[in-house]
C-alpha cells in the first residue's frame, strides 16, 4: 500500500524510465521501489505490453500499480485488465488497407533514408507504428537515424502528408515518439486515453513525466491536460532527480 494513495505519478517509458528501447537499470528499479512506498506509480507508453515487459521486466505488473500500454488501449491495474480497444475494429479493414497501402507507397519513395531494414509498419492492437528506417535496425543505426531525422525532418514531413490525406477523413492522429518512428491512432486515443481509468480513484494529483512533450510529440496531450501536472524530462536520470525533489527529499 502506498503511503499517499491520493497522488499518482505516470511515467512514459522510452527516454523517461529507460533509454530508447533499452532495458531499465538497477538504479531506476531501486528508485521506483522507493518511490512506490510514497505514492502510487504507473507506466503509460505507446508500445504494446510485451515491449513494456521487455524494457521494464516481466514482473512490471507487480512493480507498478498501473500499466498502460498503447496509450492505455491496454489498461492493467495489477493483475486486473481494465480495458482494451482495437484499431482494426475502429477503422475497418477497407480503410486500414487503404492507409497501409498509402504508407507503403510513401516509404518506397524515400530514397534518401541512410539505411533501410525490416518492419516498417508494426500493427498493434490500438495503433500503427511506422518507421522509415525499419524497427529491425541496430542501436547504432537507430542513433544515426535520429540525428539524420532531426536535420532532414523525415518523420515530421511524412506525418504532415498523412495528416492532410487521412487526418480529417479517417479521424486519425499522428504522433512522433522515440528515435525512429511515429504512431497512427484515432483522435482521442493519445495518452490522455488512460486517464479515464483513474477517475474512480479520485486522485488529488496526477503527475505525468515524459520526454516528448513538444507539439507533435506523443507526450504532448497528456502533458498539457488540465487533469495532470506535467513534467518534461530529458533522460531517466532527470526523472529520478525531479521525483526526488518532489517526494523523496
Amino acid at each position: 500500500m502506498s503511503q499517499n494513495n491520493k497522488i499518482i505519478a505516470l511515467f512514459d517509458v522510452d527516454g523517461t524510465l529507460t533509454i530508447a528501447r533499452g532495458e531499465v537499470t538497477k538504479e531506476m528499479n531501486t528508485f521506483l521501489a522507493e518511490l512506490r512506498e510514497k505514492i502510487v506509480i504507473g507506466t503509460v507508453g505507446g508500445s504494446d505490453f510485451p515491449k513494456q515487459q521487455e524494457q521494464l521486466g516481466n514482473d512490471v505488473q507487480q512493480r507498478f500499480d498501473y500499466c498502460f500500454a498503447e496509450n492505455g488501449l491496454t489498461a492493467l491495474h495489477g493483475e486486473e485488465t481494465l480495458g482494451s480497444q482495437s484499431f482494426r475494429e475502429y477503422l475497418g479493414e477497407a480503410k486500414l488497407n487503404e492507409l497501409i497501402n498509402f504508407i507503403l507507397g510513401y516509404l518506397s519513395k524515400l530514397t534518401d533514408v541512410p539505411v533501410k531494414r525490416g518492419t516498417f509498419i508494426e500493427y498493434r492492437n490500438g495503433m500503427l507504428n511506422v518507421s522509415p528506417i525499419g524497427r529491425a535496425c541496430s542501436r547504432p543505426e537507430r542513433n544515426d537515424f535520429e540525428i539524420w531525422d532531426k536535420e532532414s525532418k523525415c518523420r515530421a514531413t511524412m506525418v504532415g502528408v498523412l495528416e492532410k490525406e487521412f487526418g480529417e477523413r479517417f479521424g486519425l492522429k499522428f504522433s512522433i515518439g522515440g528515435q525512429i518512428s511515429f504512431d497512427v491512432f484515432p483522435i482521442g486515443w493519445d495518452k490522455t486515453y488512460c486517464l479515464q481509468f483513474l477517475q474512480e480513484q479520485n486522485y488529488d494529483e496526477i503527475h505525468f513525466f515524459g520526454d516528448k512533450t513538444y507539439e507533435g510529440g506523443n507526450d504532448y496531450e497528456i502533458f498539457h491536460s488540465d487533469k495532470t501536472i506535467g513534467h518534461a524530462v530529458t533522460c531517466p536520470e532527470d526523472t529520478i532527480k525531479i521525483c526526488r525533489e518532489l517526494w523523496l527529499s
Side-chain angles (χ1 to χ4, degrees):
M1 179 65 69
S2 302
Q3 185 179 40
N4 187 339
N5 59 8
K6 300 304 289 182
I7 296 177
I8 182 171
L10 298 174
F11 299 95
D12 167 53
V13 182
D14 280 350
T16 302
L17 294 181
T18 74
I19 62 172
R21 290 300 301 138
E23 294 182 6
V24 67
T25 63
K26 291 182 179 180
E27 178 189 10
M28 179 60 79
N29 274 335
T30 299
F31 159 73
L32 290 169
E34 184 181 358
L35 181 63
R36 196 181 181 195
E37 294 179 357
K38 300 293 184 180
I39 61 173
V40 181
I41 63 173
T43 66
V44 52
S47 295
D48 57 24
F49 185 62
K51 286 189 175 63
Q52 282 200 20
Q53 290 178 305
E54 289 175 10
Q55 292 182 258
L56 301 175
N58 290 328
D59 60 345
V60 62
Q61 288 172 268
Q62 288 75 52
R63 294 190 295 103
F64 288 85
D65 298 287
Y66 291 89
C67 294
F68 297 117
E70 299 185 64
N71 295 349
L73 274 295
T74 296
L76 305 168
H77 184 199
E79 299 295 330
E80 179 186 3
T81 299
L82 301 179
S84 182
Q85 288 277 11
S86 168
F87 184 46
R88 176 183 57 80
E89 292 177 1
Y90 170 87
L91 204 58
E93 289 291 0
K95 289 182 177 180
L96 181 60
N97 284 343
E98 181 183 346
L99 174 64
I100 290 175
N101 287 338
F102 186 94
I103 292 172
L104 289 171
Y106 187 99
L107 290 171
S108 71
K109 297 172 185 175
L110 289 179
T111 58
D112 56 343
V113 178
V115 299
K116 290 186 178 182
R117 297 299 180 246
T119 314
F120 299 98
I121 301 176
E122 182 175 86
Y123 176 82
R124 299 174 180 172
N125 189 53
M127 66 180 71
L128 294 182
N129 180 265
V130 181
S131 174
I133 185 177
R135 297 193 64 86
C137 61
S138 67
R139 181 161 295 281
E141 290 167 343
R142 171 188 288 268
N143 294 339
D144 290 344
F145 176 84
E146 182 181 27
I147 295 171
W148 176 81
D149 181 65
K150 288 179 180 178
E151 298 173 351
S152 67
K153 308 296 182 185
C154 174
R155 287 185 292 173
T157 301
M158 187 173 181
V159 162
V161 171
L162 290 172
E163 283 181 337
K164 184 177 180 180
E165 183 70 23
F166 296 102
E168 183 175 350
R169 185 158 64 95
F170 283 7
L172 296 178
K173 179 80 174 178
F174 304 84
S175 185
I176 295 173
Q179 294 177 292
I180 63 169
S181 64
F182 61 89
D183 296 328
V184 184
F185 50 86
I187 292 172
W189 287 19
D190 54 65
K191 288 184 178 178
T192 60
Y193 188 91
C194 76
L195 299 178
Q196 64 184 290
F197 300 107
L198 305 178
Q199 291 178 351
E200 292 184 1
Q201 303 302 320
N202 293 316
Y203 288 108
D204 293 334
E205 297 177 7
I206 301 175
H207 293 256
F208 172 77
F209 294 79
D211 67 318
K212 297 292 189 298
T213 58
Y214 50 81
E215 188 169 7
N218 64 354
D219 298 324
Y220 178 81
E221 289 83 5
I222 191 171
F223 176 80
H224 288 280
S225 170
D226 58 8
K227 297 178 181 178
T228 67
I229 301 169
H231 305 275
V233 301
T234 58
C235 60
E237 291 76 16
D238 200 21
T239 301
I240 293 175
K241 178 178 178 294
I242 295 173
C243 286
R244 287 201 178 280
E245 291 173 351
L246 286 172
W247 297 297
L248 298 173
S249 60

